[in-house]
């Protein structure tokens, strides 16, 4: 069903749950975003009305180890 644009930024906040019927803790996307920030990566959300959601994860290529 998608996520309204006005709510999209909130899904990355700690303990955010889309509805009271959600079963999760609201930590999943927050933890994913924080982990990606540690490696200079990012996660983004695209959600056209009525068509679901698409999350894109970018992880930069390591140039040295």
């Amino acid at each position: 069903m998608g996520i309204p644009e006005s709510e999209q930024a909130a899904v990355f906040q700690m303990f955010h749950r889309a509805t009271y019927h959600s079963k999760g803790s609201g930590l999943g996307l927050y933890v994913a975003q924080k982990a990606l920030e540690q490696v200079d990566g990012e996660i983004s959300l695209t959600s056209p009305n009525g068509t679901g959601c698409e999350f894109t994860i970018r992880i930069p290529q390591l140039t040295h180890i």
Side-chain angles (χ1 to χ4, degrees):
M1 68 183 184
I3 299 172
E5 189 172 339
S6 61
E7 295 289 319
Q8 290 180 14
V11 301
F12 297 105
Q13 295 175 359
M14 186 184 298
F15 302 120
H16 179 77
R17 293 169 58 191
T19 69
Y20 291 108
H21 301 291
S22 297
K23 295 181 182 181
S25 64
L27 287 174
L29 290 171
Y30 172 81
V31 170
Q33 182 181 48
K34 293 302 177 190
L36 287 163
E37 287 174 359
Q38 294 296 310
V39 296
D40 293 324
E42 59 186 37
I43 184 171
S44 60
L45 163 65
T46 304
S47 183
N49 282 341
T51 61
C53 302
E54 179 178 298
F55 291 88
T56 302
I57 296 174
R58 185 190 66 77
I59 303 171
Q61 181 177 354
L62 294 175
T63 56
H64 64 280
I65 296 180

